[in-house]
Amino acid sequence: MRTSKISVMFFLSMLLLFASPGHFSQVGDGHFHLHGHFGPEEAEAKGQQYTCSMHPFIIRDAPGNCPICGMTLTPVKADGLGGGTDIRIDPATVQNMGVRTALASRRSLSRAIRTVGIVGYQENHQYSVNSKIDGWVERLYVNETGSFVKKGQPLMAIYSPELVAAQEEFLLALRNQAALAANDIPEIAAGARNLLTASRKRLLYWDISKRQIDELEKSGQVQKVLLLHAPYNGVVTVKKVNEGMFIQAGMELFQISDISQVWVYADIYEYELPWVKVGQKVQVDLPSGQAPLPGRIGMIYPYVEGQTRTVKARIELDNPDLSLKPEMYVNVGIETQTTKEALVIPAEAVLNTGEKQTVFVALGDGRFEPRPVKLGLQGDDGFVEIKEGLGEHEKVVTSAQFMLDSESTLRAVVQKMLKAEKGGTVKSSTPAAAQNPGQPVAPRDQQGGENLEELFK
């Protein structure tokens, strides 16, 4: 709003400085009335008028040169300041302004997206190893972070009085079942079998492997310590236990991550999102310079990162040789889908004010029409898609459109002044008598125009 008022003040200042005498008169403090010979009606009554193509607010009754730029004044045409939306500029002036045009046409749009990404673990291949009983760590078989482990590999030996008691109960149930297996009473034999089954399950629930239980059954000897094995393949990324430590049930001892497959999180800017889809192929370049690795977008996260103002695209990659290390930075190239037969114009033809986008359509014979448009995708070749506002083969201005925009704005100001002069009314919040004490107030139909402050609000 402040910028708009400053622009209006500039236009009014130029009008006051360079317009021909008799166009404005002051009534009171800060208020002006418009009168004189701007309109087509006066042009017909008083003869041909002349204006500057570059400065349309310059109006003269006789030929001459523009007092601002020195260009030769041209005759005012009957529709030059009419109520239409287009503007008209002398062809010689158009050539001097360097106006170039291009046709709206249909063509394919594509965009190659290059961005950066960071390698991460697959969340569904990260595991936590803990103990289900209290005890002491007698020995650690894996004692370093970064160690590779295989499923079933021993991690540690645990001594637990509960485990010792559970082994003894299992051996007792085993002997009891053997003794009662031939009992004439079926219920007694079944009870012995059920007790043995329950003792076996108790050891299994404490992560004692079936192989260890079979060895216990075969040897009949209670083991002081029992082994805790790795449940998955992977790399030890976290180690929280040391030999001799007392551990409690539920305490996390290790974290194991499988990195034979990894995720790459690529940053996608908001304006690139229309081009990025789940399932698109990508290439990941490593800092080491080895051959790019192929991948595919598996997910586009439904939120924006607060710090980077980007959306994460998750890329799934096989990593058999472990060349991709978590937290490594990589370059990502996304193969976007080409949009075919899109109606496009050069991007430089669009005037973007932030609230709307406008192009100037060349109508021929020096006539130009400002037209709002709705934009779509923008390709790598400098063309932008037009969703609404233009038809195929229409001609748009690709250079000097800022000068045309200024021309259109100035002509709109003059049109408002002509309407005000023709209406002959004043909209002022301050009576003329209060503005000039002691001066007679002219009748309302003689006051000559609208209050300019109200006119441009």
Side-chain angles (χ1 to χ4, degrees):
M1 187 67 181
R2 181 179 180 89
T3 303
S4 176
K5 288 184 176 181
I6 292 175
S7 300
V8 171
M9 292 175 63
F10 169 76
F11 294 140
L12 293 179
S13 300
M14 297 299 291
L15 286 167
L16 291 173
L17 287 174
F18 297 107
S20 59
H23 289 170
F24 293 92
S25 63
Q26 184 170 5
V27 181
D29 183 16
H31 298 273
F32 295 88
H33 289 163
L34 172 68
H35 54 83
H37 41 267
F38 279 94
E41 296 85 353
E42 286 78 5
E44 294 176 359
K46 300 180 182 180
Q48 178 66 56
Q49 293 181 316
Y50 299 84
T51 185
C52 176
S53 298
M54 294 297 294
H55 305 92
F57 50 80
I58 300 299
I59 305 292
R60 292 291 185 266
D61 295 328
N65 295 328
C66 175
I68 299 177
C69 63
M71 293 181 62
T72 302
L73 299 180
T74 58
V76 176
K77 298 180 181 179
D79 61 348
L81 296 173
T85 59
D86 60 293
I87 62 174
R88 178 168 293 181
I89 301 178
D90 183 80
T93 304
V94 171
Q95 184 175 1
N96 292 335
M97 292 169 63
V99 174
R100 297 194 303 272
T101 60
L103 288 176
S105 59
R106 295 195 176 275
R107 60 185 296 167
S108 297
L109 278 182
S110 62
R111 189 180 187 93
I113 296 179
R114 298 288 300 176
T115 184
V116 296
I118 186 170
V119 180
Y121 300 99
Q122 284 192 330
E123 294 177 0
N124 54 349
H125 286 177
Q126 288 184 287
Y127 313 104
S128 177
V129 179
N130 54 66
S131 173
K132 293 181 172 63
I133 58 173
D134 298 343
W136 286 263
V137 178
E138 289 282 325
R139 182 177 178 184
L140 275 179
Y141 295 99
V142 177
N143 203 16
E144 294 179 358
T145 302
S147 301
F148 288 88
V149 296
K150 294 183 178 181
K151 183 178 180 179
Q153 177 180 336
L155 296 177
M156 66 177 68
I158 301 176
Y159 163 70
S160 170
E162 291 181 272
L163 275 178
V164 172
Q167 291 178 80
E168 292 175 345
E169 290 175 3
F170 174 76
L171 292 177
L172 180 62
L174 184 64
R175 290 192 292 268
N176 186 54
Q177 190 271 340
L180 299 176
N183 194 285
D184 295 335
I185 303 175
E187 289 79 4
I188 294 178
R193 290 195 301 272
N194 291 339
L195 180 61
L196 178 61
T197 300
S199 299
R200 184 185 298 273
K201 284 184 178 180
R202 186 180 184 186
L203 292 174
L204 289 171
Y205 290 160
W206 279 346
D207 288 340
I208 306 304
S209 66
K210 183 179 181 301
R211 182 174 59 82
Q212 293 182 85
I213 296 174
D214 291 342
E215 290 179 357
L216 174 62
E217 182 178 356
K218 185 176 181 180
S219 66
Q221 299 293 323
V222 173
Q223 301 294 321
K224 177 186 176 182
V225 296
L226 290 176
L227 301 179
L228 183 65
H229 296 84
Y232 309 99
N233 298 328
V235 179
V236 176
T237 54
V238 175
K239 169 181 166 291
K240 298 182 178 180
V241 63
N242 296 309
E243 286 190 2
M245 178 183 291
F246 175 76
I247 58 176
Q248 295 178 314
M251 178 185 297
E252 185 178 60
L253 308 176
F254 297 97
Q255 285 184 10
I256 298 176
S257 300
D258 183 2
I259 60 173
S260 60
Q261 290 182 324
V262 294
W263 289 343
V264 172
Y265 299 95
D267 289 323
I268 307 298
Y269 289 102
E270 295 176 59
Y271 69 88
E272 296 173 327
L273 284 176
W275 289 99
V276 182
K277 308 294 180 184
V278 173
Q280 286 177 333
K281 296 180 180 180
V282 302
Q283 285 191 337
V284 177
D285 296 320
L286 278 65
S288 58
Q290 68 184 74
L293 300 176
R296 190 177 297 272
I297 295 178
M299 181 178 180
I300 300 174
Y301 285 86
Y303 51 81
V304 176
E305 296 287 339
Q307 294 182 344
T308 62
R309 306 306 305 168
T310 59
V311 175
K312 297 293 185 184
R314 193 181 74 197
I315 301 166
E316 301 171 354
L317 289 175
D318 291 328
N319 189 31
D321 59 353
L322 307 183
S323 57
L324 291 168
K325 312 288 194 269
E327 305 303 324
M328 174 187 288
Y329 284 100
V330 294
N331 294 317
V332 177
I334 301 177
E335 300 177 13
T336 62
Q337 185 175 1
T338 300
T339 301
K340 298 181 179 180
E341 294 300 313
L343 180 63
V344 300
I345 61 172
E348 59 188 6
V350 181
L351 285 174
N352 194 337
T353 65
E355 296 180 354
K356 62 180 181 179
Q357 292 77 39
T358 305
V359 299
F360 277 87
V361 180
L363 304 177
D365 298 327
R367 295 171 58 235
F368 301 92
E369 176 190 354
R371 190 181 299 175
V373 293
K374 182 178 179 181
L375 304 182
L377 299 173
Q378 183 169 351
D380 285 331
D381 52 3
F383 286 86
V384 62
E385 182 182 13
I386 298 296
K387 292 288 190 181
E388 295 178 6
L390 275 180
E392 190 174 359
H393 304 309
E394 286 195 282
K395 191 178 296 185
V396 296
V397 177
T398 59
S399 65
Q401 57 267 56
F402 287 100
M403 300 179 70
L404 293 177
D405 187 43
S406 301
E407 176 88 357
S408 177
T409 303
L410 289 172
R411 287 185 182 268
V413 172
V414 175
Q415 290 176 21
K416 289 185 178 181
M417 292 178 177
L418 289 173
K419 292 178 182 179
E421 180 184 11
K422 184 176 180 180
T425 59
V426 178
K427 296 180 181 180
S428 174
S429 58
T430 306
Q435 298 169 8
N436 296 276
Q439 298 293 330
V441 180
R444 185 174 181 82
D445 60 353
Q446 298 178 14
Q447 290 178 4
E450 296 188 24
N451 183 330
L452 295 182
E453 291 180 356
E454 294 292 335
L455 183 63
F456 295 109
K457 282 185 178 178

